[in-house]
Amino acid sequence: QVQLVESGGGLVQAGGSLRLSCAASGIRYSINVMDWYRQAPGNERELVASITSGGRTNYADSVKGRFAISRDNANNTVYLQMNSLKSEDTGVYYCKAQTWAAGYWGQGTQVTVSS
């Protein structure tokens, strides 16, 4: 049974920091790319950051310089360090694990940034 379990969300004041974690289990094939997406109310889900198994990263322009994605390949875990948070970072954050065969989503974790 495939599971992606996110943790680390919560309520934080603007300018603060949070660290999200996502642990994947039960995936048969090697995970090539792990992503973090977010979805604010009324908006489409958007890609925030991604990281390949080799450590290559990619960020949305809106989070460059503030967020950092990392992963532990041995434990199929991806992290998102979020600094200098803004109210517009509020939303549900989802992790995604991509293999050659399929993509798998977590259930999401709420991040709320108060101004």
Side-chain angles (χ1 to χ4, degrees):
Q1 179 182 355
V2 174
Q3 281 191 313
L4 279 77
V5 180
E6 297 120 332
S7 61
L11 173 64
V12 64
Q13 288 188 331
S17 298
L18 284 174
R19 187 182 192 225
L20 306 183
S21 300
C22 172
S25 61
I27 298 178
R28 179 178 180 181
Y29 300 109
S30 295
I31 300 173
N32 296 326
V33 181
M34 299 191 82
D35 309 301
W36 284 101
Y37 284 76
R38 69 185 177 192
Q39 187 167 21
N43 290 357
E44 293 186 354
R45 193 172 296 188
E46 63 173 350
L47 178 63
V48 175
S50 61
I51 185 167
T52 69
S53 57
R56 187 172 60 195
T57 59
N58 183 56
Y59 296 94
D61 287 343
S62 59
V63 307
K64 283 181 181 177
R66 300 188 298 121
F67 290 11
I69 189 171
S70 60
R71 67 187 279 181
D72 177 352
N73 289 332
N75 293 301
N76 285 338
T77 300
V78 64
Y79 306 95
L80 187 67
Q81 177 66 42
M82 305 187 294
N83 299 324
S84 303
L85 283 160
K86 305 176 181 180
S87 57
E88 51 262 45
D89 295 318
T90 293
V92 179
Y93 283 69
Y94 300 89
C95 69
K96 181 181 180 182
Q98 300 184 62
T99 71
W100 73 269
Y104 304 92
W105 292 91
Q107 82 287 352
T109 185
Q110 177 70 45
V111 171
T112 303
V113 183
S114 63
S115 57

